């Protein structure tokens, strides 16, 4: 330690200016001695006679100087301030220090060009130009107003630091930056509170942790801001642990876990169909109960093109709805998909799809029969199902439906909020007691699907539309009869007195009389008008039909009012059909609506609208009528038969097919479709004896019927009938 110090050295220890030291020394009468130096004399203040606070400051300053630059002091050079590491400062303070250095450089340059009036005038002119903000607007914006004395202080700092620019940086709080006064015990208590299973708020957890620490005397008091800053730093490096404990495994999977990206260029349209159910966020009139309710949309969605292929709307997600939507998706796709990506729900894992073991008969599930592989999504893993994102987009359509009820409890329409009487009155005035029907929902949804499929999309579609991919790669079509047969459900049933019990009704055929054993049945969930019965050995037994129940007041239902309601309902459907777009309208009319009407008719329900209200009434019975298309088909087949008969050998006698004979023959063939199996066989034997060419479908029927138990029981009758026909038509031929 030196025995005497200069005013500048004391100023450095006190971190103040020399002028302040000189004034204080003069005021407090510090002891000093004069030392002759070049250019004059210099005051040296005796260390022992300095005030106590000054001596302490000088000692601390001297210790710092000896620790920072011992080599310089040993060499007899003046001590320098320790260099400041820019990495220890935030960028804002570094930028401000650089701005100070630029202003100091400009200030010194201005003083070197004093001009007339000396340095003082140059200094005042520079400071006036700067503080107006016009000369150096960027520096003024960063530093604000500055006096020339402040700049002189910057000059001394830079000089003391060996012309180091970072000496101008604001180093206040640098020693404690990034550090916390919290001990490990305190942080452990804080984590236990904030990671509590009941998910307390961060503020509540901090208050609880502070109370525990204070009660147990485990450390000094710390502010809430200190706890919060430490917790933020901890979360930034332990986000996975924080998410899993605070939000659960699903949130951890959604936010933290590594996810797998699919390469959609490796698949084609129709390779993978994704299926899932979505509860619609608007009310639909349920024709089964006659009340509005939210129904479930079952959708099959193409993974490659993002195209909604087939759908069904049902009260709940069940196998019937899923099978109906799958049939429509295959028909619209025009080919059988290779894979089905399914939800992990119970309906998708039912025996209808995956098969069931049975002692008497083993059979596989629906997907096996169709040749479709299955992939089941992970539970609670929405990212793996691309259709989930599409259901989010469907919310755009749902919000425009009048009966929209909101997609969550916080996002409901105003009419559903408590106390909103005005909104409820306005809604009642618009809708009344009415509600959109299931068919209206089908039509509106189909129109929106068309709009969606025409939008360019990002992602793997790269600006193209789902329509472009679908139209370019759809199949050539599938046989609807084959598809319906493959999708028939199979069950084991026992024959009882009234036949077979299914769908809460009895199915009966004379071939079931006298039998009391188990059989395997096949039936179509969309068309419950018949059940196909097979023996345990797989032999076809019969086609059982529902046993009609007698209405106790059948004559009352056939009134003019009932017929008018039916007419109004048909007109409403025709009006809805005009509103649908062409592409989806054709699919809707050919597939969706017919199946829907069969479902309602099978349930005995007919939807009619009258007086602004939609009512559900039993459907009237309709007699079977041969359509014009059926007559044309029969005449075409007969023309083919005539052409084939013309190629037969000449020695074979054949009937002459005049135009009158063609009409007569057409009527004979038309009668076959409505006959019982036994009567049909009698008629076909007659046609065969008469020399008519039997079509392949009826030849197949004859071969099949000859293998049945009914034919074996009455085989003598059939042979006698054949002999009678031979005699009768031989006589007729001879007479002609």
């Amino acid at each position: 330690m030196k025995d005497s110090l200069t005013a500048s050295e004391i100023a450095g220890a006190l971190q103040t200016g020399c002028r302040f030291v000189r004034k204080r020394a003069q005021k407090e009468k510090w002891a000093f001695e004069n030392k002759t130096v070049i250019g004059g004399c210099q005051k040296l203040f005796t260390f022992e006679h300095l005030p106590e606070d000054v001596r302490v400051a000088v000692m601390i300053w001297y210790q710092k100087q000896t620790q920072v630059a011992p080599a310089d002091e040993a060499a007899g050079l003046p001590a320098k301030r320790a260099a400041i590491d820019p990495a220890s400062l935030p960028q804002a303070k570094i930028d401000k220090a650089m701005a100070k250095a630029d202003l100091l450089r400009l200030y010194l340059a201005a003083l070197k060009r004093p001009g007339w009036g000396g340095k003082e005038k140059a200094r005042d002119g520079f400071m006036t130009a700067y503080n107006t903000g016009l000369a150096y607007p960027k520096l003024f914006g960063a530093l604000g107003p500055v006096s020339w004395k402040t700049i002189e202080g910057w000059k001394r700092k830079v000089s003391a630091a060996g012309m180091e620019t970072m000496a101008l940086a604001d180093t206040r709080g640098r020693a404690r930056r990034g550090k916390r006064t919290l001990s490990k015990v305190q942080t452990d208590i804080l984590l236990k509170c904030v990671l509590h299973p009941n998910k307390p708020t961060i503020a509540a957890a901090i208050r609880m942790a502070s109370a525990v620490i204070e009660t147990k005397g485990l450390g000094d008091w710390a502010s809430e801001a200190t706890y919060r800053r430490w917790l933020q730093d901890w979360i930034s490096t332990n986000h996975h642990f924080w998410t899993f404990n605070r939000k659960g495994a699903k949130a951890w999977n959604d936010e933290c876990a590594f996810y797998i990206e699919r390469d959609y260029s490796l698949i084609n349209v129709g390779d993978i169909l994704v299926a899932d159910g979505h509860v619609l966020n608007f009310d639909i009139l349920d024709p089964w109960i006659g009340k509005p309710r939210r129904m479930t949309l079952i959708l099959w969605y193409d993974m490659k093109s993002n195209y909604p292929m087939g759908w069904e709307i049902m009260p709940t997600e069940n196998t019937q709805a899923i099978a109906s939507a799958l049939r429509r998706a295959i028909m619209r796709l025009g080919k059988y998909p290779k894979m089905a990506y399914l939800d992990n729900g119970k309906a998708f894992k039912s025996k209808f799809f995956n098969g069931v073991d049975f002692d008497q008969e083993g059979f596989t599930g629906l997907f096996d029969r169709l040749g479709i592989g299955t992939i089941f999504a992970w539970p609670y893993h929405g990212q793996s199902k691309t259709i989930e994102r599409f259901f989010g987009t469907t919310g755009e359509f749902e919000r425009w439906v009048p009966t929209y009820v909101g997609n969550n409890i916080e996002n409901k329409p105003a009419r559903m909020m408590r106390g909103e009487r005005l909104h409820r009155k306005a809604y009642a005035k618009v809708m009344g007691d009415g509600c959109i029907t299931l068919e209206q929902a089908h039509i509106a949804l189909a129109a929106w699907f068309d709009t969606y499929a025409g939008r360019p999309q990002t992602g793997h579609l790269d600006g193209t539309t789902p329509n472009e991919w679908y139209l370019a790669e759809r199949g050539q079509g599938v046989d609807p009869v084959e598809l319906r047969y493959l999708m028939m459900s199979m069950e084991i049933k026992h024959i009882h007195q009234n036949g077979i019990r299914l769908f809460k009704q009895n199915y009966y055929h004379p071939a079931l009389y006298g039998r009391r054993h188990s059989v395997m049945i096949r039936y179509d969930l969309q068309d419950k008008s018949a059940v196909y019965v097979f023996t345990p050995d797989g032999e076809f037994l019969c086609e059982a039909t529902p046993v009609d129940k007698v209405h106790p007041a059948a004559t009352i239902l056939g009134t003019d009012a009932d017929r008018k309601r039916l007419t109004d309902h048909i007109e409403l459907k025709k009006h809805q059909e005009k509103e649908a777009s062409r592409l989806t309208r054709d699919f809707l009319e050919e597939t969706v609506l017919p199946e829907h009407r069969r479902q309602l008719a099978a349930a005995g329900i007919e939807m009619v609208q009258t007086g602004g209200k939609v009512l559900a009434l039993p459907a009237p019975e309709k007699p079977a009528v041969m359509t014009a298309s059926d007559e044309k088909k029969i005449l075409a087949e007969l023309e083919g038969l005539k052409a084939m008969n013309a190629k037969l050998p000449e020695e074979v006698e054949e009937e002459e097919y005049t135009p009158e004979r063609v009409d007569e023959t057409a009527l004979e063939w038309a009668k076959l479709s409505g006959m019982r199996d036994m009567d049909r066989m009698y008629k076909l034997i007659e046609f065969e004896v008469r020399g008519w060419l039997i079509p392949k479908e009826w030849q197949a029927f004859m071969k099949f019927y000859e293998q049945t138990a009914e034919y074996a029981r009455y085989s003598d009758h059939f042979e006698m009938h054949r002999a009678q026909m031979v005699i009768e038509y031989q006589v007729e031929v001879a007479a002609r």
Side-chain angles (χ1 to χ4, degrees):
M1 173 67 68
K2 294 182 179 181
D3 294 335
S4 57
L5 301 170
T6 64
S8 61
E9 291 175 338
I10 296 174
L14 296 177
Q15 296 185 359
T16 185
C18 294
R19 187 178 178 182
F20 173 81
V21 173
R22 292 191 185 98
K23 284 186 176 182
R24 182 176 177 183
Q26 184 179 2
K27 183 178 181 180
E28 297 179 358
K29 298 180 181 181
W30 293 356
F32 67 90
E33 60 182 9
N34 289 322
K35 180 181 178 181
T36 303
V37 295
I38 298 174
C41 62
Q42 185 180 30
K43 286 185 179 181
L44 296 177
F45 296 97
T46 306
F47 176 77
E48 295 181 355
H49 296 91
L50 292 174
E52 183 178 1
D53 62 322
V54 177
R55 290 201 306 270
V56 173
V58 169
M59 291 178 63
I60 295 174
W61 173 80
Y62 181 77
Q63 291 175 359
K64 290 181 179 180
Q65 295 301 315
T66 55
Q67 292 175 0
V68 173
D72 292 343
E73 187 178 357
L77 299 175
K80 299 179 182 179
R81 287 191 178 186
I84 299 173
D85 183 10
S88 64
L89 297 174
Q91 187 62 37
K93 289 191 175 183
I94 295 175
D95 294 341
K96 193 169 184 178
M98 298 301 295
K100 290 179 180 179
D102 290 341
L103 183 59
L104 175 61
R105 176 177 54 79
L106 295 172
Y107 173 79
L108 295 176
L111 294 183
K112 289 180 181 179
R113 301 188 299 273
W116 184 85
K119 290 185 177 180
E120 290 185 3
K121 188 173 182 179
R123 179 189 64 196
D124 294 341
F126 175 82
M127 297 308 302
T128 301
Y130 167 78
N131 286 321
T132 58
L134 299 177
Y136 309 103
K138 290 186 178 180
L139 292 178
F140 185 80
L143 301 176
V146 178
S147 67
W148 67 268
K149 296 179 181 179
T150 301
I151 299 178
E152 288 289 344
W154 294 350
K155 182 176 71 173
R156 289 192 297 270
K157 284 185 179 181
V158 172
S159 177
M163 305 306 293
E164 176 64 40
T165 304
M166 283 297 104
L168 298 177
D170 185 1
T171 59
R172 290 174 295 180
R174 180 167 61 93
R176 294 173 54 84
R177 184 170 303 281
K179 297 181 181 180
R180 304 285 184 269
T181 57
L182 302 178
S183 64
K184 188 177 184 306
V185 176
Q186 291 174 314
T187 57
D188 289 345
I189 294 174
L190 176 61
L191 287 178
K192 289 180 180 179
C193 293
V194 80
L195 296 178
H196 192 275
N198 293 344
K199 289 177 61 176
T201 62
I202 293 178
I206 291 175
R207 286 193 291 269
M208 178 59 70
S210 300
V212 173
I213 292 170
E214 183 179 359
T215 302
K216 295 185 176 181
L218 299 177
D220 296 333
W221 178 88
S223 66
E224 180 179 342
T226 301
Y227 284 114
R228 193 177 291 273
R229 286 195 299 270
W230 182 91
L231 190 59
Q232 290 174 350
D233 293 341
W234 182 86
I235 293 174
S236 65
T237 56
N238 298 273
H239 185 256
H240 60 295
F241 191 76
W242 168 265
T243 304
F244 190 90
N245 280 269
R246 291 279 296 189
K247 302 180 182 179
K250 186 179 185 304
W252 169 85
N253 178 74
D254 296 343
E255 300 176 15
C256 304
F258 174 82
Y259 60 89
I260 303 172
E261 297 185 66
R262 295 188 177 99
D263 187 356
Y264 293 97
S265 64
L266 302 178
I267 60 175
N268 299 317
V269 173
D271 284 355
I272 304 177
L273 294 186
V274 187
D276 200 0
H278 169 67
V279 179
L280 295 171
N281 295 312
F282 56 88
D283 287 334
I284 301 174
L285 182 65
D286 189 342
W288 284 268
I289 62 175
K291 295 181 180 180
R293 63 178 298 181
R294 293 172 62 190
M295 293 194 180
T296 301
L297 169 67
I298 307 296
L299 180 66
W300 288 83
Y301 182 83
D302 181 54
M303 182 178 286
K304 173 68 175 182
S305 64
N306 291 353
Y307 196 95
M309 289 295 176
W311 73 92
E312 178 62 287
I313 302 176
M314 294 292 285
T316 58
E317 181 183 283
N318 53 36
T319 54
Q320 180 178 353
I322 299 168
S324 174
L326 177 60
R327 178 188 286 112
R328 297 169 185 175
I330 294 175
M331 293 181 66
R332 194 171 202 187
L333 182 61
K335 57 184 177 180
Y336 292 97
K338 296 179 180 179
M339 300 296 297
Y341 202 104
L342 306 175
D343 187 20
N344 205 44
K346 293 181 180 179
F348 284 100
K349 286 193 170 183
S350 68
K351 66 178 182 179
F352 177 79
F353 292 98
N354 300 318
V356 63
D357 295 331
F358 193 76
D359 296 336
Q360 300 184 30
E361 186 69 24
F363 50 87
T364 57
L366 171 63
F367 294 118
D368 291 338
R369 296 198 299 273
L370 296 175
I372 303 174
T374 56
I375 303 174
F376 287 96
W378 291 348
Y380 308 105
H381 196 269
Q383 304 94 316
S384 61
K385 295 178 293 184
T386 56
I387 196 173
E388 292 286 356
R389 177 65 182 85
F390 175 77
F391 284 147
T393 307
T394 309
E396 171 190 336
F397 158 75
E398 295 173 333
R399 287 179 177 86
W400 292 106
V401 179
T403 56
Y404 179 68
V405 296
N407 58 358
N408 57 60
I409 196 170
E410 297 179 356
N411 190 23
K412 297 186 297 184
R415 61 183 171 83
M416 301 185 70
M417 299 295 184
R418 184 177 180 181
E420 297 292 343
R421 298 180 180 177
L422 182 60
H423 285 88
R424 281 196 287 271
K425 288 182 179 179
Y427 177 81
K429 186 175 181 180
V430 174
M431 294 299 297
D433 296 332
C435 182
I436 67 171
T437 63
L438 199 53
E439 285 196 18
Q440 289 174 330
H442 273 297
I443 294 171
L445 193 63
W448 186 83
F449 282 163
D450 262 348
T451 303
Y452 169 82
R455 295 177 185 170
Q457 297 187 11
T458 57
H460 68 276
L461 294 188
D462 195 20
T464 58
T465 65
N467 257 338
E468 295 176 22
W469 287 91
Y470 163 65
L471 295 175
E473 300 186 20
R474 62 181 175 181
Q476 300 298 321
V478 297
D479 184 2
V481 177
E482 177 188 12
L483 177 60
R484 185 175 296 274
Y485 179 79
L486 290 175
M487 295 193 66
M488 284 185 178
S489 182
M490 294 183 292
E491 284 190 35
I492 303 299
K493 289 291 184 178
H494 192 81
I495 302 175
H496 60 85
Q497 184 177 357
N498 259 19
I500 297 171
R501 186 72 176 175
L502 187 67
F503 304 128
K504 298 182 180 180
Q505 62 181 340
N506 295 323
Y507 287 78
Y508 189 76
H509 188 274
L512 301 179
Y513 176 72
R515 293 179 177 269
R516 292 294 186 275
H517 58 81
S518 296
V519 291
M520 185 179 71
I521 62 172
R522 298 179 71 103
Y523 56 90
D524 187 357
L525 284 170
Q526 303 302 319
D527 184 8
K528 301 177 183 178
S529 61
V531 171
Y532 302 92
V533 185
F534 297 83
T535 65
D537 298 330
E539 179 184 355
F540 179 75
L541 186 58
C542 65
E543 178 182 342
T545 56
V547 178
D548 295 332
K549 295 182 179 180
V550 179
H551 197 287
T555 57
I556 302 176
L557 297 179
T559 61
D560 294 338
D562 294 332
R563 286 189 287 271
K564 185 179 182 303
R565 291 191 187 98
L566 180 59
T567 303
D568 294 341
H569 184 56
I570 293 174
E571 290 177 356
L572 176 61
K573 290 183 179 180
K574 290 181 178 180
H575 177 70
Q576 293 171 348
E577 291 171 355
K578 293 180 182 178
E579 294 179 354
S581 62
R582 181 191 59 80
L583 181 62
T584 303
R585 183 183 63 226
D586 294 341
F587 177 70
L588 195 70
E589 293 175 353
E590 294 173 3
T591 305
V592 179
L593 293 182
E595 293 181 0
H596 171 65
R597 288 166 182 155
R598 284 199 299 271
Q599 293 171 6
L600 295 182
I605 300 172
E606 183 71 26
M607 299 303 301
V608 295
Q609 182 170 348
T610 178
K613 297 183 179 181
V614 179
L615 303 176
L617 298 176
E621 298 181 359
K622 296 182 180 179
V625 179
M626 182 183 299
T627 62
S629 60
D630 294 335
E631 293 180 359
K632 291 180 180 180
K633 183 177 179 182
I634 293 172
L635 291 175
E637 292 178 355
L638 291 176
E639 289 295 335
L641 291 175
K642 181 179 178 181
M644 294 179 64
N645 287 335
K647 298 178 181 180
L648 294 175
E650 296 180 359
E651 58 271 12
V652 178
E653 290 191 27
E654 60 180 11
E655 295 184 280
E656 181 180 0
Y657 283 86
T658 62
E660 294 78 7
R661 296 291 296 169
V662 171
D663 295 340
E664 179 184 352
T665 305
L667 294 176
E668 293 291 340
W669 286 110
K671 294 178 181 178
L672 289 177
S673 300
M675 292 182 176
R676 296 187 308 161
D677 291 349
M678 180 180 292
D679 296 337
R680 189 182 299 124
M681 189 65 178
Y682 277 120
K683 203 67 176 176
L684 289 171
I685 291 174
E686 177 184 343
F687 293 164
E688 186 178 29
V689 171
R690 294 176 65 177
W692 291 9
L693 184 62
I694 308 298
K696 291 183 179 180
E697 56 178 333
W698 295 120
Q699 290 179 13
F701 170 76
M702 294 177 70
K703 291 181 180 180
F704 159 74
Y705 188 74
E706 288 174 355
Q707 305 298 324
T708 62
E710 187 176 65
Y711 181 84
R713 190 180 303 120
Y714 301 106
S715 59
D716 295 339
H717 295 276
F718 289 115
E719 293 299 330
M720 185 180 297
H721 177 68
R722 184 183 296 274
Q724 290 176 354
M725 292 298 102
V726 170
I727 296 172
E728 180 179 346
Y729 286 104
Q730 280 181 350
V731 173
E732 182 181 341
V733 172
R736 289 203 301 267

